[in-house]
Amino acid sequence: MQNDTAKITARGVQVYYGDTHAIKDVDVDIAANTVTAFIGPSGCGKSTFLRCINRMNDTIPVARVEGDIRIDGEDIYDKRVDPVQLRAKVGMVFQKPNPFPKSIYDNVAYGPRIHGLSKDKADLDGIVENALRRAALWDEAKDRLDAPGTGLSGGQQQRLCIARAVATSPEVLLMDEPCSALDPIATAQIEELIDELKQNYSVVIVTHSMQQAARVSQKTAFFHLGNLVEYGETSRIFTSPEDTRTESYISGRIG
Amino acid sequence: MPLSWILLLLAAIGLAAFFLSRRRAVGSVEGDARRLHSLPLYYGLHGAMMALAPALLLLAIWLVVQPMLLDRSILSGLPDDAIPEGSTPGLVMSDVRRVADGIERAFANGAFSEGDLTALTTEDVGAVITGGGTALGTPLTADVLAAARDYWLARGTLAWIMTAAVLGLALIGAAWAIRRSDGAFRARNVVERGVLVLLIAAASIAILTTVGIVLSMLFETSNFFRQYEWTEFFFNTTWQPSFSGRGGSSELGIIPLLWGTLYISLIALIVAVPIGLFAAIYLSEYAGKTFRSIAKPVIEILAGIPTIVYGLFALITVGPLLRDAFASPLGLGNSASSVMTAGLVMGIMLIPFVSSLSDDIINAVPQAMRDGSLGLGATQSETIRQVIVPAALPGIVGAVLLAASRAIGETMIVVLGAGAAARLDLNPFEAMTTVTVKIVSQLTGDTDFASPETLVAFALGLTLFVITLGLNVLALYIVRKYREQYE
């Protein structure tokens, strides 16, 4: 089941927020059709590194990124790369569900409309339906596509956000603690969904829950104080970590 | 006893009640404040509250009610012929009050002595009073003198009764509060309720004032409609008051004034809304911190400029400029005062209202909305157009309606920019005028509050009030309806 061709390669990545050195010299290869989990204590830089992959850090004026990040061998920080196009290719789901104050349909159709992905209305309907099915929301939402997305429950909202990201047919899906605002049942649904999504996308998920990382991911990276401490097969990281810091974290001694 | 003395004594009683209550409460637990139900401060506050609140309330009511009752009783004691032809009971009463004041002054500086009171004649008193610098409306009559004497005596007695009642009530309240102050008494809760009453009173004053304004307008407006046909007022298209009042009938149709008001407001909003909104979007979404921290206050300075200064700007600069640049070459008239002038300048005045409020509202849209849109590969302006502005729309509409209310109520800019001629015309380079300007002109100069030419001002004011109230209700409705859009 493992596909070891690296989708994303990062070499010597440094991130500075003003004077703070948030990410220190991170090298990582993220495989295609794999779920990769970033774990680590709060403030360790895992979300920051995630936001480098779709250049969301560009929207923060004081943030500065150095180093080399390639997707399919293409340097995404190259001057010729349009960050706006990049973000269509690298979808993102945020910590708190953030549906737009629009109808469910318009939420999902947002990306395709902006990027002109549909030929006509019927085509767009198809994209929306397909995305909602991928996000396991179609059955619940098909009868109320005109209802506001903000009227859904928290778990449904998060799946709507996943559908919204999927609708632009990205290659990589970044998830920044997607379940931290959800209850256990909604979390289980999202986790199941992540497992299915990996068939089409490279999924990178930041999580605070080590159980979640163990459940959904094949690879795990442990960040600590801006350093990538250890990276490898999830099963190995959780059973026989090499670094003492990793061991302390997953056994609950630090964190 | 003068009022200031009563207030001073009340303050003293309140202060004493504060300290005595606190001391008694602390004493009841042998000085161990931890065993008290409330902090010692609350026992003191409770004491002061109980001493002052009822007494001050009684004082306020008494001061309002006493003159009314006293006037009525003195007037009913006056014989009918004491009110001369062409005078009114009100005028006679003010003479009575003046004479009573004169008598009081005369006693104070020793011109009269106690025994003289019943023997006073009109000549004596008249001489003393005019000598004391008081002018009377009519020559002093025996009736008025008698009434003034009664008035003065009653006033003196009532003042003593009031002083005794108020101070007595304060002492009773203080004593009661002190007696209640022991360790188990829940002074904190009682003070809390006192605070609540104070807050409710403050809120009611604001509401009652509004009601009072509306009622007084309604009263005068109904007077107007008794003298002037309401269909004429609302549907006549001519505004031509005759100011002689006698002969020559007035035409008081509101339509030309309303037209001018709405026309000027519309132009003002067409100027202010796009500029204000775009400025707000730039400031909140694109501008850097430093620029924003300078630009925002500078724009808000516009809101602090008195409207008369805008009026001068319209009169001296914008009006002639528009006339020479557009109106004359296009053959649209050669008046420097025009709807366009007033509308443009008013629009500039309204920019900060729109921009400042919209800026706050746009900033209140959660960052998660922006991230969500940018994360899908939208550009910044796509994000603003499709996510931020729709999410902020209720607030923006509220800001626009607030600006509209301002525009409708604006007077000075219109007088100086658009003139004072009531006209029903489509040409924006023609002089027109608004409801507020006409209210001012109907109420300035010699006014007779019985003629429809003056009373029409109240009908105009009420109409304007209803329109702006309608706008405010609409704004509230829009904001309520869409309030839960995000979150």
Side-chain angles (χ1 to χ4, degrees):
Chain A
M1 91 182 224
Q2 206 75 342
N3 181 348
D4 275 334
T5 45
K7 180 79 180 167
I8 305 167
T9 54
R11 291 289 174 271
V13 175
Q14 320 273 351
V15 180
Y16 303 88
Y17 286 123
D19 295 332
T20 320
H21 196 173
I23 293 283
K24 296 163 190 160
D25 204 21
V26 168
D27 297 345
V28 73
D29 288 333
I30 290 167
N33 301 85
T34 308
V35 179
T36 306
F38 290 174
I39 61 169
S42 294
C44 67
K46 55 195 189 301
S47 290
T48 301
F49 184 71
L50 191 75
R51 290 167 67 96
C52 291
I53 302 175
N54 67 347
R55 293 187 61 174
M56 276 300 275
N57 283 330
D58 291 16
T59 63
I60 301 169
V62 295
R64 194 155 49 83
V65 179
E66 289 169 8
D68 185 50
I69 301 178
R70 292 171 185 275
I71 294 180
D72 293 331
E74 190 187 351
D75 183 1
I76 61 168
Y77 280 87
D78 192 278
K79 279 202 168 46
R80 283 167 301 178
V81 171
D82 178 5
V84 167
Q85 289 299 322
L86 172 75
R87 289 183 202 134
K89 217 166 82 169
V90 184
M92 187 159 192
V93 176
F94 295 85
Q95 183 171 1
K96 233 182 105 194
N98 58 348
F100 301 133
K102 300 174 184 295
S103 70
I104 293 174
Y105 185 95
D106 287 340
N107 260 286
V108 182
Y110 186 82
R113 277 184 180 145
I114 281 178
H115 300 293
L117 298 181
S118 59
K119 288 199 298 287
D120 48 32
K121 176 82 173 81
D123 195 21
L124 187 62
D125 288 350
I127 294 176
V128 170
E129 181 181 339
N130 195 18
L132 284 170
R133 279 190 196 283
R134 282 271 175 77
L137 193 61
W138 175 251
D139 290 335
E140 290 152 82
K142 66 178 176 219
D143 295 327
R144 45 170 176 159
L145 291 174
D146 291 331
T150 43
L152 297 169
S153 74
Q156 289 172 329
Q157 286 189 14
Q158 195 62 301
R159 277 181 279 149
L160 178 62
C161 294
I162 293 175
R164 193 173 67 183
V166 165
T168 56
S169 38
E171 295 164 20
V172 178
L173 207 51
L174 308 176
M175 298 184 153
D176 190 357
E177 298 180 42
C179 301
S180 65
L182 303 182
D183 64 41
I185 294 170
T187 302
Q189 287 171 325
I190 302 278
E191 286 179 2
E192 201 179 316
L193 187 56
I194 292 171
D195 202 49
E196 286 169 24
L197 290 172
K198 78 162 191 286
Q199 290 165 9
N200 303 79
Y201 314 101
S202 300
V203 180
V204 184
I205 177 171
V206 164
T207 176
H208 263 128
S209 151
M210 283 172 283
Q211 290 85 347
Q212 183 171 58
R215 281 194 301 263
V216 300
S217 72
Q218 288 80 52
K219 295 260 198 168
T220 296
F222 173 65
F223 284 80
H224 190 244
L225 300 175
N227 297 301
L228 176 63
V229 175
E230 195 167 351
Y231 178 54
E233 298 290 324
T234 301
S235 50
R236 188 191 58 74
I237 295 273
F238 280 95
T239 49
S240 50
E242 284 164 5
D243 196 285
T244 49
R245 287 171 290 178
T246 317
E247 207 245 318
S248 306
Y249 181 69
I250 59 178
S251 60
R253 278 202 292 279
I254 60 166
Chain B
M1 187 182 305
L3 198 58
S4 48
W5 274 100
I6 299 181
L7 290 177
L8 266 180
L9 276 174
L10 277 182
I13 294 174
L15 214 60
F18 179 92
F19 285 111
L20 288 175
S21 298
R22 197 176 67 171
R23 203 178 69 182
R24 197 179 130 87
V26 175
S28 73
V29 289
E30 285 107 30
D32 181 4
R34 283 173 305 172
R35 282 164 55 204
L36 288 172
H37 170 272
S38 316
L39 291 173
L41 172 72
Y42 282 109
Y43 291 94
L45 286 177
H46 171 253
M49 191 174 93
M50 284 302 165
L52 293 181
L56 284 174
L57 189 68
L58 177 70
L59 184 64
I61 293 175
W62 196 300
L63 286 176
V64 173
V65 172
Q66 180 191 311
M68 295 199 289
L69 293 182
L70 190 57
D71 278 13
R72 189 175 304 167
S73 106
I74 295 289
L75 265 181
S76 65
L78 273 177
D80 290 339
D81 57 351
I83 297 166
E85 194 70 25
S87 185
T88 62
L91 287 176
V92 175
M93 259 330 285
S94 62
D95 266 358
V96 169
R97 272 194 294 271
R98 255 176 250 148
V99 174
D101 288 343
I103 293 174
E104 184 163 308
R105 250 197 315 279
F107 269 105
N109 59 27
F112 295 152
S113 63
E114 206 63 45
D116 293 339
L117 192 56
T118 45
L120 287 174
T121 63
T122 52
E123 288 80 21
D124 293 344
V125 178
V128 169
I129 288 170
T130 40
T134 312
L136 288 180
T138 49
L140 187 59
T141 63
D143 287 331
V144 171
L145 177 61
R149 202 171 51 208
D150 290 347
Y151 183 86
W152 177 65
L153 284 172
R155 192 170 66 178
T157 321
L158 283 172
W160 278 112
I161 298 176
M162 180 184 78
T163 309
V166 168
L167 293 181
L169 193 61
L171 288 172
I172 292 170
W176 189 60
I178 295 167
R179 238 181 65 85
R180 282 218 291 179
S181 294
D182 61 54
F185 173 59
R186 302 180 177 181
R188 194 179 173 204
N189 307 23
V190 178
V191 171
E192 184 68 31
R193 226 169 306 142
V195 170
L196 177 68
V197 170
L198 183 74
L199 297 179
I200 290 176
S204 341
I205 284 175
I207 296 169
L208 289 178
T209 313
T210 315
V211 172
I213 291 173
V214 173
L215 284 182
S216 74
M217 300 260 283
L218 271 179
F219 180 71
E220 296 293 348
T221 306
S222 74
N223 273 348
F224 169 69
F225 284 128
R226 227 169 282 145
Q227 299 181 30
Y228 196 86
E229 214 37 58
W230 67 272
T231 46
E232 282 286 296
F233 175 69
F234 283 113
F235 300 116
N236 193 345
T237 54
T238 323
W239 174 269
Q240 221 162 49
S242 120
F243 248 105
S244 58
R246 291 166 271 282
S249 62
S250 299
E251 290 196 75
L252 302 171
I254 195 175
I255 288 182
L257 305 184
L258 267 188
W259 169 246
T261 304
L262 296 179
Y263 202 178
I264 293 177
S265 304
L266 182 75
I267 293 178
L269 288 178
I270 288 175
V271 172
V273 171
I275 297 181
L277 194 55
F278 291 165
I281 288 173
Y282 175 71
L283 283 183
S284 60
E285 296 292 318
Y286 290 92
K289 250 203 186 105
T290 341
F291 182 77
R292 184 181 143 87
S293 68
I294 298 168
K296 204 174 176 208
V298 169
I299 291 178
E300 276 163 11
I301 286 176
L302 276 180
I305 299 176
T307 56
I308 186 81
V309 177
Y310 281 106
L312 291 176
F313 180 55
L315 181 72
I316 294 169
T317 315
V318 180
L321 189 78
L322 283 178
R323 180 192 56 199
D324 299 339
F326 295 102
S328 303
L330 293 174
L332 288 173
N334 47 14
S335 155
S337 314
S338 68
V339 169
M340 199 48 118
T341 311
L344 276 181
V345 175
M346 203 188 281
I348 296 167
M349 178 193 82
L350 293 178
I351 288 172
F353 285 89
V354 179
S355 79
S356 192
L357 277 171
S358 307
D359 180 48
D360 291 344
I361 290 151
I362 289 172
N363 267 326
V365 174
Q367 182 62 31
M369 295 288 138
R370 294 182 186 89
D371 285 349
S373 176
L374 295 174
L376 287 168
T379 63
Q380 207 164 358
S381 76
E382 283 166 346
T383 303
I384 290 162
R385 210 168 51 239
Q386 305 202 18
V387 175
I388 311 268
V389 170
L393 197 61
I396 293 173
V397 171
V400 170
L401 286 178
L402 190 73
S405 297
R406 281 291 309 236
I408 289 172
E410 179 50 46
T411 312
M412 280 344 283
I413 295 178
V414 179
V415 177
L416 296 179
R423 187 177 282 133
L424 200 57
D425 203 332
L426 269 176
N427 180 358
F429 291 100
E430 201 61 77
M432 281 182 218
T433 198
T434 63
V435 176
T436 50
V437 171
K438 281 303 162 196
I439 292 178
V440 173
S441 64
Q442 293 311 99
L443 289 181
T444 38
D446 256 347
T447 49
D448 169 9
F449 274 86
S451 73
E453 284 79 13
T454 306
L455 287 175
V456 70
F458 294 97
L460 291 174
L462 193 65
T463 314
L464 208 56
F465 179 81
V466 169
I467 292 176
T468 43
L469 188 73
L471 272 179
N472 277 317
V473 170
L474 184 71
L476 264 182
Y477 171 78
I478 290 175
V479 170
R480 280 253 168 85
K481 183 163 179 201
Y482 297 103
R483 182 182 280 163
E484 293 178 342
Q485 278 236 304
Y486 53 80
E487 279 295 286

